[in-house]
Amino acid sequence: MSGRELSRPTTPKLPGILTASRAPRLLGNLTYLVGTVDLLTGLLHSWRLHLHGLTEMLPGALSDAAAAVTVVSGIFLIVLGHSLKRRKRRAWRAAVGLLALSVGLHVIKTEPASAAISLVGLGLLVRDRAQFRALGDPTTRWRAVRAFVVLLVVSVLAGGLVVWLNRRDIVGGFPGLGAFVQELGLGMVGANGPLEFTQDRASDIVGSLLLGLGLMTLLTPAYLALRPAEPVPSLTEDDEARIRALVDRQGDSLAYFNTRRDKSVIWSSSGKSAIAYRVVSGVMLASGDPVGDPEAWPGAMQAFLAEAGAHAWTPAVLGCSEHAGTVWVRETGYTALELGDEAVVDATTFTLAGRPMRNVRQMVGRVARAGYAVDVCRVRDVTTGVRERAMADAASWRSSATERGFSMALGRLLDESDPDCVFVAARQDGVVRAFLQFVPWGPDGMSLDVMRRDSTAEAGVNELMITEALAAAPGLGVQRVSLNFAAFRSVLERGGKLGAGPVLRSWRRVLLFASRWLQIESLYRFNAKFQPQWQPRFLVYPSGSDLPRVGLAALEAEAFLTWPTLGRLGGGA
């Protein structure tokens, strides 16, 4: 991304971190192959004829007399193969059961070769059973059951409607209840029911739609049952109290954001360090630096990786400092990639004087002359009326319906549990037109959390609020102020300079194009106005093959990427 990586050792250093065996991946790929063959032989009649001999030898493949069941089997095996590759214990149990059944069926049909192949597969699974140790989420079983019941009802109603709409083409008229139920049940597994149609078109429509409904009814619960466990994140009162105690004494500029209520926490065995995280799409994503004593960080990292290994989650860290990134790389052998820079201003030396600050000085003066005044106070001193008005304004001024933030946002505003946060409000004629919220950064700093303004307010109101906050900082006992994060700052800065190489220039052009939607360049330009010190932030991930998945999970956690969910269908997220 930015082209800068932290150096790393060739082998992991943390004790207790096991090297993944190749067996789960190989067995998962084999299951993919069997499922694909089943799918093709079930869908394509010519494939079933040409591959008849092969399908007799593959465990899980069915004869061409049950083509639709073969399709269902293929889909299930493909889903199962992914779970086996992720070392899911539940998937291992399902595979063992299917292969044991396959052995028994081939013995009954006197097919010793096929029975032997199934037995070999079963033996490999049993031999490598220790590799399939990833725990599941117990709630997913109930979600799968609820989803199956709901989808079954929907499929029966929809299937009945399809049959009724084609009632004029049914030989002998609309059937009785028994024949109707048989048609639905058999049709949903791809078999021919008792109904006959006068036109092939009607028969094809009814058969295809019933099969589609059946596949949906079976596949969705299978996905819910076998997908990576994603526990509902929660920060207990005890965890929050302990983290706050550590944050008050030490921690980086993002430490306070670990008190978000939608994160979970894992502690080192000594209790002197902790890592806050959330599981997103099978990625166990930590945010910022570990909280607490740096000497205890390796213990927290070991607990973090052990938890990820127990559930087959991919561990990753978003937005850690260079110090923490170096420790992660040294202790784990992972890769750290620079994501951008955090703008940090020394409030004790900040001034609007001088030529570099001329544009900010002129903008602030213009906004002040337009009648804007700024108040700076702790959250504990904000009145109830101002609090309620700010909450309403925050929702109405937000640029989208999605509340973004994970690693660098608190997720709550003017909360009574955050009395030491700093609230900055810009008023025009007594009406609040914009505001900021800063969270504490150790004993003598604060980090920007929320920046909101009315779209009709003056363009320089944010600059005015920040300069007033910096001016008031020493009176609040604040010496360091962290502003926005500038993604890929070094690329934007170096890529536009004389002598920049073609790769750097191309990467810069990509970022400028993306800035039309993600405000990458505008945030960098805004931060640079205040002459900050740039502190790099890194993404830590296991290997290059994991980077795409980790990147998507990070975008999803920060709400830049949202997916349709089955939470409502499956009983809630």
Side-chain angles (χ1 to χ4, degrees), residues 191-225:
N192 293 324
L195 302 187
E196 296 183 5
F197 294 85
T198 58
Q199 298 185 31
D200 291 340
R201 181 175 178 273
S203 177
D204 291 341
I205 291 175
V206 172
S208 299
L209 290 177
L210 287 179
L211 176 58
L213 291 170
L215 291 177
M216 178 185 68
T217 303
L218 294 173
L219 181 59
T220 303
Y223 163 76
L224 292 174

Side-chain angles (χ1 to χ4, degrees), residues 181-326:
V181 171
Q182 289 184 52
E183 181 70 21
L184 292 181
L186 293 173
M188 287 183 185
V189 295
N192 293 324
L195 302 187
E196 296 183 5
F197 294 85
T198 58
Q199 298 185 31
D200 291 340
R201 181 175 178 273
S203 177
D204 291 341
I205 291 175
V206 172
S208 299
L209 290 177
L210 287 179
L211 176 58
L213 291 170
L215 291 177
M216 178 185 68
T217 303
L218 294 173
L219 181 59
T220 303
Y223 163 76
L224 292 174
L226 296 173
R227 67 177 178 172
E230 292 190 10
V232 176
S234 62
L235 190 68
T236 66
E237 293 183 1
D238 179 64
D239 284 335
E240 184 173 351
R242 294 170 66 187
I243 285 181
R244 286 180 181 274
L246 294 177
V247 167
D248 290 341
R249 295 194 301 268
Q250 56 192 21
D252 77 330
S253 58
L254 308 185
Y256 198 87
F257 298 127
N258 287 324
T259 64
R260 285 181 64 111
R261 275 70 185 265
D262 59 355
K263 293 182 179 180
S264 300
V265 178
I266 192 163
W267 293 86
S268 65
S269 58
S270 66
K272 295 181 179 179
S273 180
I275 295 176
Y277 70 91
R278 186 192 302 166
V279 179
V280 181
S281 298
V283 176
M284 188 177 181
L285 195 62
S287 59
D289 294 359
V291 179
D293 186 356
E295 293 186 358
W297 285 1
M301 293 174 181
Q302 180 178 356
F304 178 81
L305 295 184
E307 184 74 6
H311 294 271
W313 295 327
T314 301
V317 185
L318 178 64
C320 67
S321 68
E322 187 165 8
H323 178 205
T326 301

Side-chain angles (χ1 to χ4, degrees), residues 24-91:
R25 184 173 297 274
L26 292 175
L27 288 171
N29 288 334
L30 176 61
T31 309
Y32 277 142
L33 177 61
V34 175
T36 302
V37 172
D38 276 359
L39 199 59
L40 292 174
T41 56
L43 291 174
L44 303 176
H45 181 70
S46 60
W47 276 75
R48 294 200 304 274
L49 294 177
H50 288 106
L51 299 180
H52 181 78
L54 179 61
T55 57
E56 286 298 318
M57 297 183 64
L58 288 175
L62 304 176
S63 67
D64 28 74
V69 179
T70 306
V71 172
V72 176
S73 172
I75 294 175
F76 273 114
L77 285 171
I78 291 173
V79 174
L80 190 63
H82 174 71
S83 299
L84 285 173
K85 293 175 70 172
R86 301 218 45 185
R87 301 181 291 107
K88 300 292 289 182
R89 188 68 176 177
R90 194 179 303 167

Side-chain angles (χ1 to χ4, degrees), residues 289-369:
D289 294 359
V291 179
D293 186 356
E295 293 186 358
W297 285 1
M301 293 174 181
Q302 180 178 356
F304 178 81
L305 295 184
E307 184 74 6
H311 294 271
W313 295 327
T314 301
V317 185
L318 178 64
C320 67
S321 68
E322 187 165 8
H323 178 205
T326 301
V327 177
W328 274 107
V329 169
R330 184 184 69 230
E331 297 292 336
T332 66
Y334 286 1
T335 299
L337 192 62
E338 184 178 350
L339 291 176
D341 296 85
E342 175 187 11
V344 178
V345 179
D346 187 343
T348 62
T349 60
F350 177 80
T351 176
L352 285 175
R355 186 173 183 82
M357 299 299 296
R358 179 182 178 184
N359 291 338
V360 177
R361 185 169 61 249
Q362 291 177 343
M363 184 176 292
V364 167
R366 177 177 56 81
V367 176
R369 288 191 297 273

Side-chain angles (χ1 to χ4, degrees), residues 105-182:
L105 291 175
H106 286 306
V107 169
I108 292 173
K109 294 188 295 180
T110 64
E111 297 170 344
S114 298
I117 294 175
S118 299
L119 188 60
V120 169
L122 178 62
L124 289 175
L125 281 176
V126 173
R127 188 197 67 178
D128 295 314
R129 60 187 179 278
Q131 298 295 330
F132 298 90
R133 62 186 183 279
L135 302 177
D137 181 5
T139 60
T140 60
R141 294 191 181 98
W142 294 112
R143 290 182 189 176
V145 172
R146 286 194 293 267
F148 176 76
V149 172
V150 171
L151 286 173
L152 182 61
V153 172
V154 171
S155 296
V156 168
L157 293 177
L161 178 62
V162 170
V163 174
W164 183 80
L165 290 175
N166 290 272
R167 63 191 182 280
R168 294 177 181 175
D169 295 317
I170 299 176
V171 176
F174 198 78
L177 180 61
F180 178 69
V181 171
Q182 289 184 52

